[in-house]
Amino acid sequence: MEVIIQPNADAAALLVARLIAKELRANPHLVLGLATGRTMESLYARLVRMHREERLDFSLCRTFNLDEYVGLSPDDPHSYRQYMHRHLFGQVNLDPRNTHLPHGQAPDLDAECSHYEQLIEKFGGIDLQLLGIGRAGHIGFNEPLSALRSRTRVKALTPVTLAQNAPMFGGVEQMPRRAITMGVGTILESHRCLLLATGEEKAAIMAKAVEGPITGMISATALQLHPRCTVVVDEAAASQMQ
Ligand code: GLP
C-alpha cells in the first residue's frame, strides 16, 4: 500500500484528480470505478475543471459506480445516479450510455447484482477504482461483516452509516435501509485502487484501515491485500497513523 500525505484536503483532491487524469490520458478507454460521498465533491470539481481548461477527454471512458441505494429511482435527487449527474456526468463529455450504476429499483435485486458483475467483466474489469471510506471503515457499502471475497450484493446499512448519510436525506427516517454495493472481492479485482480520505473525522478509521489487522469488520483493511493500492490523505486524516 502506498500512502501519500498532502498538506490539506484541496491538495489531496487535486493529487487524486491528477492521478486519474494521467491514467485517462494514457488510456482513453479507461474503465473507471467511481465513488460518492462529500469527500469526492472537490475531486469531481477538479476533474470538471481539467475537462474545461485542459481538455481532459472522457468521451471513450466507461464508468462503474460502487453502489446505489435500494428503492430509489435514478431520477430521485437522493440517488447516487443524480449525485453523479450533478457532480460529474452532467459536466464532462462522458457518454451517458457508458456510465453504469446498479439499479436500486430493479424488480429482482439478486439478478441486478449478477448483471452488474457480468457487465464489469464484459468490459474487461475495472482499470482504476476510486474509493472513499465510511466512518466505520466501509468501502462502497461493504458494512461490517462483509466477506473479504464478497461480490456485488444487497447490504443492510448499519446505524453508523445511517447517521453519517442522514443529513443528505433530511433525517434518518427518510433514508433507504439497504444498498446494492460492489463486493470487497469485486473491488480487490480492479487493477488499481485509489482511496481518498480527508479530515479529522477519518483519522481513527484511516489508521485502522492502513495499519490495523485485516478484518471483515472493517472492509477497507482488505485493501492491504491489493497489489496496487494508493491511499491519498490530508494531514488531518493521517494524524493517527504511526
Ligand atoms: C457513502 C458511500 C461510500 C463513501 C462514503 C464516504 O457511504 N457509499 O462509498 O466512501 O459515503 O462519505 P463521505 O465522503 O461523505 O465521508
Side-chain angles (χ1 to χ4, degrees), residues 68-82:
E68 179 60 283
Y69 290 107
V70 167
L72 299 191
S73 89
D75 300 327
D76 189 303
H78 295 115
S79 69
Y80 281 159
R81 163 65 72 183
Q82 284 303 312

Side-chain angles (χ1 to χ4, degrees), residues 36-38 40-42 44-46 48 52 65 68-69 72-92 94 101 167-169:
T36 49
R38 282 155 288 203
M40 298 301 152
E41 292 177 14
S42 50
Y44 292 142
R46 285 284 179 186
V48 169
R52 289 184 186 152
N65 266 76
E68 179 60 283
Y69 290 107
L72 299 191
S73 89
D75 300 327
D76 189 303
H78 295 115
S79 69
Y80 281 159
R81 163 65 72 183
Q82 284 303 312
Y83 168 103
M84 289 311 304
H85 181 75
R86 279 195 300 278
H87 294 289
L88 188 69
F89 298 167
Q91 305 200 53
V92 297
L94 264 163
L101 283 94
M168 273 84 85
F169 287 83

Side-chain angles (χ1 to χ4, degrees), residues 36-39 66-67 80 132-134 138 140-141 161 164-165 202:
T36 49
R38 282 155 288 203
T39 314
L66 284 167
D67 45 20
Y80 281 159
I133 187 167
H138 68 209
F141 269 130
T161 299
Q164 190 187 340
N165 290 356
K202 299 285 170 71

Side-chain angles (χ1 to χ4, degrees), residues 122-174:
K122 180 175 160 196
F123 292 105
I126 291 167
D127 294 310
L128 175 63
Q129 178 64 57
L130 176 66
L131 297 161
I133 187 167
R135 229 169 273 168
H138 68 209
I139 45 176
F141 269 130
N142 289 287
E143 299 286 55
L145 294 181
S146 286
L148 300 184
R149 298 179 70 180
S150 51
R151 313 302 308 184
T152 301
R153 70 214 183 291
V154 174
K155 275 301 267 186
L157 305 178
T158 59
V160 176
T161 299
L162 290 172
Q164 190 187 340
N165 290 356
M168 273 84 85
F169 287 83
V172 86
E173 297 74 27
Q174 279 83 265

